[in-house]
Amino acid sequence: MRRSMKTRETLETHVKVDLELDGSGKSSVNTGLGFLDHMLESVARHGLLDLEVEARGDLEVDDHHTVEDVALTLGEALREALGDRSGIRRMAHAMVPMDDALATVALDLSGRPYTVLELEFDDAVIGDVKSQNIGHFIESLAVSAGMNIHASVRGRNDHHKAEALFKALALAIRDAVRVEHGEIPSTKGKL
């Protein structure tokens, strides 16, 4: 089983993540941020990941610490669940339309974190999450998972843009973690 349970405790947040890569899309998510919960449930469903997230954060300050620490903990769980990454496809991409929005995500589970983001939101807040923290979630996830992510989104409705982005992320992860062979997917022989 490619599964990991990770906990992150700071003075600002307490986060628990239980992730199974070979799941069926089941989720139980409670971060205190309804919009973030919705995005993570979408990642689980479309990524066919079984995902449980429980988070308590200093939401009286704002959403930043909770968004960041959930992403860091999820990335750590993804990294651990992948093990030495033997046999995975490793690189994948997805394009997802959602009404007026179109999101593209390309990623590489290389162990080397890097992000290139082309995300523009018109509103300062989407639901209860600051729109600037959508990109910060992707960056934090990339760092802790050891993942290279290129993501872009365009459209008119910020909710649609964010949701298309998370669905594209889910589909790309689903494809990249797929086991295709028994080798380390690198000419170096190590990731």
Side-chain angles (χ1 to χ4, degrees):
M1 259 171 68
R2 299 185 304 161
R3 182 178 181 185
S4 176
M5 292 181 280
K6 300 300 277 183
T7 301
R8 179 179 175 87
E9 293 186 55
T10 72
L11 295 176
E12 300 160 338
T13 64
H14 178 83
V15 180
K16 291 182 182 178
V17 170
D18 185 347
L19 171 68
E20 185 173 337
L21 297 181
D22 304 304
S24 61
K26 295 182 294 187
S27 65
S28 173
V29 180
N30 183 9
T31 67
L33 296 165
F35 190 73
L36 181 59
D37 293 353
H38 180 46
M39 295 301 98
L40 293 172
E41 289 163 354
S42 185
V43 167
R45 179 171 308 276
H46 296 282
L48 292 180
L49 309 168
D50 288 346
L51 178 64
E52 292 181 23
V53 178
E54 190 68 36
R56 288 188 322 274
D58 58 354
L59 297 178
E60 70 282 359
V61 174
D62 72 2
D63 62 304
H64 178 89
H65 298 137
T66 301
V67 170
E68 177 180 61
D69 285 0
V70 166
L72 290 171
T73 311
L74 178 58
E76 290 170 7
L78 177 58
R79 180 188 287 260
E80 184 175 272
L82 285 168
D84 70 358
R85 303 174 192 221
S86 290
I88 64 167
R89 179 161 190 202
R90 184 183 143 181
M91 294 165 272
H93 65 278
M95 290 181 72
V96 172
M98 184 167 192
D99 298 338
D100 59 290
L102 179 64
T104 303
V105 172
L107 61 83
D108 181 0
L109 296 170
S110 63
R112 296 183 308 276
Y114 197 85
T115 53
V116 176
L117 303 177
E118 295 177 23
L119 313 176
E120 289 186 26
F121 298 102
D122 296 322
D123 297 326
V125 178
I126 307 169
D128 49 7
V129 173
K130 289 181 183 169
S131 57
Q132 67 184 356
N133 287 331
I134 301 297
H136 188 56
F137 180 95
I138 302 295
E139 291 166 336
S140 299
L141 179 70
V143 166
S144 61
M147 181 173 14
N148 180 324
I149 301 177
H150 290 246
S152 64
V153 67
R154 59 186 165 95
R156 291 185 312 274
N157 182 290
D158 283 347
H159 183 115
H160 292 168
K161 290 190 284 188
E163 190 164 345
L165 175 67
F166 276 83
K167 287 178 178 178
L169 176 66
L171 291 173
I173 289 172
R174 175 178 164 183
D175 197 19
V177 303
R178 186 175 69 225
V179 176
E180 294 186 328
H181 49 79
E183 304 295 319
I184 300 285
S186 172
T187 56
K188 296 175 185 177
K190 182 177 183 178
L191 289 174

